[in-house]
């Protein structure tokens, strides 16, 4: 039993699936991969993942996607715990590793990094805080601190049982983040999501940031709203 | 043509089994979205790709079809725009349970010259022979003009021999884990790697793929793909690839 708690993913992988074990998966395609408002794919995105959730609230999983800003592909490995405080407030604490295995193949340096996460939610409102000690690894080298912080607030409103509207605001800062991105910045989005038949869902979002400045070419840069559309499918084992 | 295609082919068999109540469908199709189009371990799309195929199957084992994808090329592969592969072959099950497959493919890159100026046509034909038994399969491909004029170096030969072996292990109903190793060799490989700054005439590619059948002919697959290629300015590292596909009968 202890072993099971320590290595749930391993045991599940070799096929000893108890009937109540919640292993779920997801695959999806979207017009762009936006990570906290930043365009990470410069084009179409295909992504998918697997997750194991234990009855006691512990979860772990992995997901992967194409990501031109990550050297080609990204794999995220994560684990955490989600549960309720009382009847209303949900809480979530976890850690995730952004594995950018291909970031080294063109001598771009090692971009992989670890991040911790704390969140709380109630009545459709959620607040999340993220901390990475060395944001985007080598992209934030340059002496001094390499930390990156992200705080986000979002509100999800149910228009009806299958149709939701979500407003989101995030703020990114920290010495490491400012090295990698160029500045601290805010990102905001509005997402309409519709649950479809057969565990399909679609989303349409408008995403923007307040990033302004100059590109390496010298051209002026002022981020403008991007419309993103996506379709995904959930499945279980 | 690629690992995705192979995964989809396996899926089509699954879809066929699901529909075994009806007569043998003559034409199978597939559509897929993948986070990267990997060709023998090499990145051919530098990002996501959408792909599709139609294959006509004759009860005698003869088949013919076409497969299409967007391509952008990558650090090693010299293509762009779109790829259309036309193929035909013959496949049959022997009495001892071994399946054999022999055929030919033409890789056609129609947009190679649309920008004008160059005539480095990467289109080329290839022949193959394969065999499979239970979860184990092997296939050998030979091309005498690998990636056509796009990888030509002087007047050197451009032959390519690719051997791949795959073992798929059925973990549970609808869930497979497959390991694959491939070896590419020949002057065509040397030319391709020379274009990328290398001087070897061979390389290995390897992958591990987890495929989950999610019903209605759909499948999700998760793979890690890598090669041992190490040339100036490019040392290949493992790539994570996720794909979503749907097989259907016309």
């Amino acid at each position: 039993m202890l072993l099971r708690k320590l290595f749930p993913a391993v045991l599940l992988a070799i096929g000893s699936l108890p009937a109540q074990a919640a292993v779920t998966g997801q695959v999806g395609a979207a017009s762009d991969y936006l990570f906290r408002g930043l365009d990470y794919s410069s084009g179409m995105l295909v992504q998918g993942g697997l997750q194991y959730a234990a009855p006691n609230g512990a979860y772990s999983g992995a997901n992967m996607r194409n990501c031109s800003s990550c050297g080609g592909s990204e794999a995220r490995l994560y684990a955490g715990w989600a549960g309720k405080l009382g009847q209303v407030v949900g809480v979530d604490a976890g850690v995730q590793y952004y594995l950018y295995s291909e970031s080294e193949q063109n001598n771009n340096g090692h971009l992989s990094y670890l991040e911790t996460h704390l969140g709380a939610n109630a009545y459709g409102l959620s607040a999340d805080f993220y901390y990475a000690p060395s944001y985007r690894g080598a992209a934030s080298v340059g002496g001094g601190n390499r930390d990156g912080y992200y705080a986000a607030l979002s509100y999800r409103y149910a228009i009806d049982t299958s149709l939701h509207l979500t407003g989101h605001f995030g703020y990114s800062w920290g010495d490491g983040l400012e090295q990698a991105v160029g500045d601290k910045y805010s990102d905001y989005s509005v997402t309409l999501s519709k649950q479809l038949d057969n565990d399909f869902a679609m989303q349409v979002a408008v995403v923007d940031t307040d990033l302004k400045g100059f590109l390496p070419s010298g051209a002026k840069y002022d981020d403008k709203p991007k419309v993103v559309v996506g379709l995904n499918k959930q499945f279980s084992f | 043509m690629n690992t995705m295609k192979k995964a989809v082919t396996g899926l089509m068999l699954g879809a066929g089994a699901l529909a075994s109540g009806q007569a043998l469908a003559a034409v199978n199709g597939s559509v897929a979205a993948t986070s990267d189009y990997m060709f023998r371990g090499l990145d051919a799309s530098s990002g996501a790709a959408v792909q599709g195929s139609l294959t006509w199957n004759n009860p005698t084992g003869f088949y013919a079809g076409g497969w299409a994808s967007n391509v952008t090329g990558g650090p090693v592969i010299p293509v762009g725009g779109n790829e259309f592969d036309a193929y035909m072959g013959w496949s049959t099950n022997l009495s001892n349970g071994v399946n054999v497959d022999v055929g030919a493919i033409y890789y056609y890159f129609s947009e190679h010259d649309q920008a004008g100026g160059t005539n480095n046509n990467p289109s080329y034909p290839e022949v193959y022979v394969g065999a499979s038994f239970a979860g184990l399969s092997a296939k050998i491909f030979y091309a005498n003009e690998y990636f056509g004029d796009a990888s030509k170096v002087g007047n050197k030969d451009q032959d390519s021999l690719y051997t791949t072996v795959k073992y798929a292990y059925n973990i549970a109903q609808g869930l497979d884990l497959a390991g694959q190793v491939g070896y590419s060799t020949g002057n065509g490989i040397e030319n391709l790697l020379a274009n990328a700054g290398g001087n070897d005439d061979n390389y290995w590619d390897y992958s591990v793929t987890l495929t989950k059948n999610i019903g209605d002919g759909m499948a999700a697959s998760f793979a890690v793909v890598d090669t041992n290629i190490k040339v100036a300015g490019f040392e290949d590292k493992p790539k994570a690839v996720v794909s979503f596909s749907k097989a259907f009968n016309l």
Side-chain angles (χ1 to χ4, degrees):
Chain A
M1 210 48 206
L2 178 66
L3 185 70
R4 165 106 193 282
K5 279 178 182 157
L6 287 172
F7 303 105
V10 174
L11 288 181
L12 291 166
I14 57 175
S16 63
L17 283 173
Q20 76 278 17
V23 179
T24 52
Q26 187 186 48
V27 281
S31 58
D32 240 306
Y33 174 24
L34 290 181
F35 178 78
R36 298 175 187 172
L38 305 179
D39 189 345
Y40 266 26
S41 64
S42 298
M44 199 181 120
L45 165 74
V46 175
Q47 60 182 350
L50 298 175
Q51 174 165 305
Y52 168 75
N56 63 9
Y59 62 85
S60 62
N63 55 55
M64 47 176 71
R65 57 188 60 75
N66 58 297
C67 175
S68 56
S69 294
C70 314
S73 61
E74 172 188 86
R76 276 197 226 173
L77 313 171
Y78 59 90
W81 179 84
K84 288 246 171 191
L85 292 181
Q87 297 294 311
V88 173
V89 179
V91 291
D92 184 4
V95 58
Q96 62 180 328
Y97 188 69
Y98 297 79
L99 177 62
Y100 300 156
S101 55
E102 293 176 288
S103 63
E104 293 165 83
Q105 69 187 10
N106 300 314
N107 305 320
N108 289 334
H110 188 73
L111 299 182
S112 305
Y113 66 105
L114 189 77
E115 187 177 67
T116 56
H117 160 231
L118 207 57
N121 60 80
Y123 300 114
L125 185 72
S126 51
D128 293 277
F129 175 73
Y130 299 83
Y131 164 64
S134 69
Y135 182 82
R136 279 179 72 81
S140 64
V141 173
N145 293 328
R146 298 164 64 184
D147 47 354
Y149 301 89
Y150 184 62
L153 208 55
S154 61
Y155 181 67
R156 186 167 186 257
Y157 173 71
I159 298 169
D160 69 36
T161 52
S162 70
L163 189 64
H164 291 83
L165 190 67
T166 304
H168 165 94
F169 173 79
Y171 186 67
S172 299
W173 77 99
D175 289 346
L177 177 124
E178 287 162 46
Q179 291 260 12
V181 179
D183 203 354
K184 46 176 91 77
Y185 71 98
S186 302
D187 69 282
Y188 11 84
S189 63
V190 177
T191 305
L192 184 70
S193 56
K194 169 74 179 170
Q195 189 65 39
L196 308 172
D197 291 343
N198 297 319
D199 296 321
F200 277 90
M202 67 153 293
Q203 305 84 29
V204 184
V206 182
V207 186
D208 197 11
T209 72
D210 67 350
L211 277 168
K212 281 188 180 129
F214 293 90
L215 297 173
S217 65
K220 201 165 171 227
Y221 178 76
D222 182 1
D223 196 17
K224 299 288 182 188
K226 183 188 275 290
V227 177
V228 182
V229 58
L231 176 72
N232 63 64
K233 161 133 179 104
Q234 302 271 357
F235 56 91
S236 55
F237 283 75
Chain B
M1 335 277 104
N2 65 358
T3 51
M4 187 60 229
K5 175 99 191 303
K6 282 172 188 162
V8 168
T9 308
L11 230 186
M12 287 194 285
L13 297 171
L18 287 174
S20 59
Q22 61 197 76
L24 281 172
V27 179
N28 296 327
S30 71
V31 284
T34 181
S35 63
D36 238 300
Y37 166 20
M38 301 303 286
F39 180 80
R40 299 176 187 175
L42 305 175
D43 194 344
S45 62
S46 296
V50 176
Q51 313 176 324
S53 72
L54 288 176
T55 305
W56 172 77
N57 296 284
N58 183 284
T60 61
F62 182 78
Y63 62 88
W67 180 91
S69 177
N70 58 301
V71 289
T72 318
V76 178
I77 291 199
V79 299
N82 77 96
E83 172 180 343
F84 177 74
D85 299 345
Y87 50 88
M88 59 167 61
W90 181 77
S91 168
T92 193
N93 291 312
L94 305 180
S95 55
N96 54 9
V98 174
N99 175 274
V100 292
D101 183 13
V102 55
I105 311 169
Y106 188 75
Y107 300 85
Y108 180 52
F109 301 92
S110 60
E111 295 179 292
H112 72 277
D113 60 353
Q114 70 183 10
T118 63
N119 191 27
N120 295 331
N121 190 350
S123 305
Y124 65 101
E126 187 169 64
V127 293
Y128 58 85
V129 56
S132 64
F133 177 75
L136 187 68
S137 58
K139 215 162 191 177
I140 299 173
F141 298 78
Y142 174 78
N144 66 346
E145 275 184 59
Y146 199 55
F147 283 100
D149 293 339
S151 66
K152 205 164 176 60
V153 176
N155 289 320
K156 284 176 71 176
D157 287 345
Q158 290 185 274
D159 56 301
S160 148
L161 188 69
Y162 180 63
T163 307
T164 181
V165 177
K166 181 172 123 178
Y167 182 71
Y169 173 70
N170 186 239
I171 297 172
Q173 178 73 25
L175 185 66
D176 283 315
L177 184 67
Q180 173 269 336
V181 175
Y183 180 69
S184 296
T185 185
N187 287 318
I189 303 300
E190 186 175 358
N191 296 348
L192 202 64
L193 294 175
N195 285 334
N199 51 21
D200 289 335
D201 66 353
N202 66 81
Y203 73 94
W204 292 87
D205 68 277
Y206 12 82
S207 65
V208 177
T209 306
L210 182 74
T211 302
K212 168 74 177 160
N213 187 330
I214 54 177
D216 294 325
M218 291 183 286
S221 75
F222 304 88
V224 177
V225 184
D226 197 12
T227 72
N228 68 341
I229 291 176
K230 189 176 177 179
V231 297
F234 175 72
E235 180 181 355
D236 200 14
K237 299 285 182 186
K239 181 187 279 288
V241 182
V242 54
S243 304
F244 177 48
S245 62
K246 160 103 179 145
F248 55 88
N249 297 321
L250 285 191

